[in-house]
Amino acid sequence: RDNILNPKNRPLLFCFLFFFAIAICGYLSVMIFSTPYRDDCYRYFFNTQVGALEALRALGFLTEYLFFLSNIVTDAAPFTQILSCATLAYIACIFLKTFKVRVLNKWEVVCFTLIVVNPYLLEIMLYRFDNFFITLSLLLVSIAAYLSSQNKSNYFTIQSLLLFLSLFVYQVAISIYLTVFVYEFIKKIRLGTKVIHVIYTMKYWFGTLGIVACAYIPFLRFLNYCKSEDGSILALPYNSENISVILNNIGSYFYTLYNDWSPNII
């Protein structure tokens, strides 16, 4: 029913094409800039894969191998960036369905262009190698959030699997799921629903997060990407140093958001 290629679903197809055009126009200057950005230079010199195994991104490594049909990384930009634009456009369509937007209402649809083009995605698009694999992880998480919003038991396994697999492509993408989860939770509370009832109605959200966390924690011992001086993993509050790093990172995150948005009335 939600397939954008379904002839009966032409309005959603037009939304996809609209978002895709916005993405192409928004990132066109990046695509024609043709200048390596940060990690790109490292990949040129040392043939370093995007799906770094030390960062526990094995699925990203496999996807990259299938994408290039080789273990040699290839600068396929702007083709990868065009694919990312298409992926972001599809993600926007997913959220039109997630938030039950009337696709025939042009103003409501226009509001979702910020999902496709925004300053926080700009850095992702600047990467010539990484961009498509990051947006792929965003897609997995977005589908998981959409299925969770349906609140159906028969989606529970697939939404949990998609969220779990996304962690092996690009871990930070899970923030999309958490953001939509918090939004839905607060929305229900604001409507006057009792907390206990909200928790019950969102049991599949909670269940998915719980199962994914339990399934992923054992893999953290293989994570060699971010470790403290004593060799412990910074992602786990193992000692005071790790706790301090985690708190500082959280503080920096919200401080960045505050600096970005507080001076700007728009």
Side-chain angles (χ1 to χ4, degrees), residues 61-242:
F61 177 82
L62 176 61
T63 306
E64 187 178 15
Y65 183 83
L66 295 175
F67 187 80
F68 293 120
L69 297 178
S70 171
N71 59 356
I72 299 176
V73 295
T74 305
D75 182 359
F79 176 65
T80 50
Q81 292 162 324
I82 293 173
L83 286 179
S84 291
C85 288
T87 305
L88 291 173
Y90 191 70
I91 289 172
C93 290
I94 289 173
F95 282 111
L96 289 179
K97 304 299 294 184
T98 301
F99 296 112
K100 299 178 174 61
V101 174
R102 294 172 296 174
V103 294
L104 295 178
N105 188 312
K106 297 178 181 179
W107 293 111
E108 290 186 13
V109 171
V110 166
C111 290
F112 281 74
T113 56
L114 290 175
I115 292 178
V116 180
V117 177
N118 66 72
Y120 300 103
L121 285 176
L122 176 59
E123 185 172 19
I124 292 176
M125 297 300 290
L126 283 169
Y127 289 108
R128 298 179 64 80
F129 292 90
D130 300 51
N131 65 85
F132 174 66
F133 304 99
I134 296 177
T135 53
L136 178 62
S137 65
L138 301 180
L139 176 63
L140 293 175
V141 177
S142 300
I143 296 174
Y146 168 70
L147 294 177
S148 297
S149 69
Q150 303 303 299
N151 198 35
K152 295 181 180 179
S153 59
N154 54 325
Y155 291 155
F156 180 70
T157 300
I158 185 63
Q159 71 193 39
S160 300
L161 181 62
L162 288 171
L163 195 64
F164 180 68
L165 291 177
S166 73
L167 294 172
F168 293 92
V169 183
Y170 192 73
Q171 292 91 336
V172 183
I174 199 173
S175 60
I176 291 178
Y177 192 88
L178 297 174
T179 301
V180 179
F181 164 73
V182 171
Y183 170 79
E184 291 291 335
F185 188 88
I186 293 177
K187 184 177 70 173
K188 294 180 188 303
I189 295 295
R190 284 177 59 86
L191 291 174
T193 311
K194 293 183 179 179
V195 175
I196 297 298
H197 185 65
V198 173
I199 293 175
Y200 176 76
T201 56
M202 297 186 68
K203 56 182 179 292
Y204 299 119
W205 288 90
F206 285 99
T208 292
L209 287 171
I211 285 179
V212 170
C214 292
Y216 188 69
I217 286 175
F219 287 93
L220 287 176
R221 62 193 181 94
F222 301 109
L223 185 63
N224 296 314
Y225 190 61
C226 296
K227 289 189 175 182
S228 60
E229 294 181 359
D230 65 357
S232 60
I233 300 170
L234 287 174
L236 298 175
Y238 179 79
N239 53 33
S240 59
E241 179 189 353
N242 290 14

